[in-house]
Amino acid sequence: MTSKIKPAKGAAYARIMGVGGYRPTRVVPNEEILKHIDSSDEWIRSRSGIATRHWAGPDETVAAMSVEAAGKAIADAGITPEQVGAVVVSTVSHFKQTPAIATEIAHKIGAGKPAAFDISAGCAGFGYGLTLAKGMITDGSAEYVLVIGVERLSDLTDLEDRATAFLFGDGAGAVVVGPGKEPAIGPTVWGSEGDKAETIKQTFGWDVYRRTPVPGGDGPDARVALDEIRYPAITQEGQAVFRWAVFEMAKVAQQALDAAGVSPEDLDVFIPHQANMRIIDSMVKTLKLPESVTVARDVETTGNTSAASIPLAMERLLATGQAKSGDTALVIGFGAGLVYAATVVTLP
């Protein structure tokens, strides 16, 4: 039977055309974190490599930060907001179940009537969004796609949790993906390991606030007063996550290199998820990256911003001249789920 459906008429290839970032104005040093936990600046730096992070103020909402980053990416790409055909936002810190924050962002940047939706893929969210954007470009459903990773993780941080209080930061990173004349976004190696989902999680769901506030009681069905419930936070099993990231994600990164037909010697830049400096350094060693490869270590001053970490690190490398347009970069994100996504890209 012959199909009546016309073939797609998209671009042969897709590429990242522009990048933008936004970091909140408030810089939070480790000393401020130490007011709430029994630790030291030396311990935090040795365990994570983090010295400071940015926390958003009341006006630096998920939407506001995204609009700032998006505007920079659109300008860097040399297009107008009206040309954006789709807006994809990866976040876990937009607290309204519906509508998607992407629709608000699309309106505020003046994008017209693009497709707009949110995705939840934790720290791998940027890689997921980039892959979806590539598919839209080559399928022909959009000419230009805006991909945003944005988080206000300070809203989900338990300042008394010694294992996580120092990790998280806020910010937004964005890229514009458009048509290319040659391969500039490689095949994505992505996946999930749901059997390890409990290693990084939110302490409890929002539905807990629907419980009837009855004080006291015993057993699994006991109700508690709302004022006894702490605000939800992100928690993790640090050692288990560290081992998984170090040993398993280096394999995924190598698979992405192989899928793109690129060797470590061909790389100019390595941009891993900015979770932990020790993880980054271990991956560099395992992959046997040459000293000539520039490695993003934005985590030192930005902390872990989940879906925003890769585009923020990319933007900083380009802005500071540590990387340049046309460089070949390996990017990999990994986190809650556990999920991951890795690919090789040409920098804008």
Side-chain angles (χ1 to χ4, degrees):
M1 178 178 174
T2 302
S3 174
K4 299 179 181 179
I5 301 173
K6 294 181 179 180
K9 293 184 178 180
Y13 306 106
R15 65 187 177 102
I16 300 176
M17 299 177 60
V19 60
Y22 179 82
R23 292 173 173 80
T25 56
R26 181 186 174 195
V27 177
V28 179
N30 288 339
E31 286 73 19
E32 187 167 338
I33 304 297
L34 295 173
K35 295 177 182 178
H36 307 280
I37 59 174
D38 180 17
S39 188
S40 68
D41 177 64
E42 180 182 3
W43 186 89
I44 293 174
R45 289 175 186 256
S46 66
R47 299 288 290 183
S48 67
I50 299 172
T52 61
R53 73 285 292 147
H54 295 255
W55 282 357
D59 296 331
E60 292 170 314
T61 64
V62 168
M65 292 190 293
S66 297
V67 168
E68 290 291 331
K72 295 175 183 178
I74 290 170
D76 192 43
I79 66 169
T80 65
E82 293 82 4
Q83 291 177 278
V84 174
V87 178
V88 182
V89 177
S90 178
T91 185
V92 299
S93 45
H94 170 51
F95 292 158
K96 289 184 179 179
Q97 194 72 34
T98 193
I101 194 66
T103 58
E104 178 182 340
I105 294 166
H107 172 69
K108 288 185 173 180
I109 65 173
K113 299 180 180 179
F117 58 94
D118 299 349
I119 59 175
S120 177
C123 304
F126 175 74
Y128 276 52
L130 185 64
T131 303
L132 294 173
K134 176 186 175 182
M136 292 182 216
I137 302 303
T138 57
D139 182 65
S141 59
E143 185 176 10
Y144 301 103
V145 180
L146 178 65
V147 179
I148 302 171
V150 57
E151 301 293 2
R152 273 184 55 122
L153 294 182
S154 57
D155 291 337
L156 288 168
T157 298
D158 181 352
L159 292 177
E160 297 178 1
D161 182 356
R162 190 172 183 271
T164 61
F166 57 90
L167 289 176
F168 302 121
D170 303 336
V175 298
V176 171
V177 182
K181 296 181 180 179
E182 59 184 10
I185 301 176
T188 299
V189 177
W190 56 354
S192 65
E193 297 185 29
D195 60 312
K196 300 179 180 66
E198 292 295 302
T199 57
I200 306 175
K201 63 181 181 179
Q202 186 172 307
T203 48
F204 54 84
W206 301 106
D207 60 328
V208 72
Y209 290 103
R210 296 193 61 165
R211 295 179 181 177
T212 304
V214 178
D218 298 311
D221 296 324
R223 307 288 186 174
V224 295
L226 291 183
D227 60 5
E228 296 177 10
I229 301 174
R230 299 189 67 176
Y231 200 72
I234 297 174
T235 185
Q236 68 175 25
E237 298 174 15
Q239 288 300 316
V241 174
F242 181 85
R243 289 193 298 269
W244 176 77
V246 168
F247 295 109
E248 298 302 322
M249 291 305 97
K251 298 176 185 176
V252 172
Q254 184 60 59
Q255 291 170 13
L257 289 172
D258 294 341
V262 173
S263 71
E265 290 73 25
D266 295 324
L267 283 180
D268 300 302
V269 184
F270 178 42
I271 311 177
H273 166 47
Q274 302 295 292
N276 181 301
M277 195 76 79
R278 291 195 300 153
I279 292 175
I280 293 171
D281 291 340
S282 295
M283 291 182 70
V284 169
K285 183 178 180 180
T286 302
L287 290 168
K288 298 180 180 179
L289 298 183
E291 292 185 4
S292 60
V293 175
T294 297
V295 180
R297 291 188 170 87
D298 194 43
V299 66
E300 180 180 5
T301 56
T302 306
N304 180 346
T305 55
S306 189
S309 79
I310 290 176
L312 278 175
M314 182 185 296
E315 186 267 345
R316 174 162 282 175
L317 289 177
L318 290 166
T320 59
Q322 298 177 70
K324 62 183 185 299
S325 175
D327 278 353
T328 300
L330 168 64
V331 299
I332 179 170
F334 45 86
L338 295 169
V339 296
Y340 54 86
T343 188
V344 177
V345 303
T346 301
L347 296 182

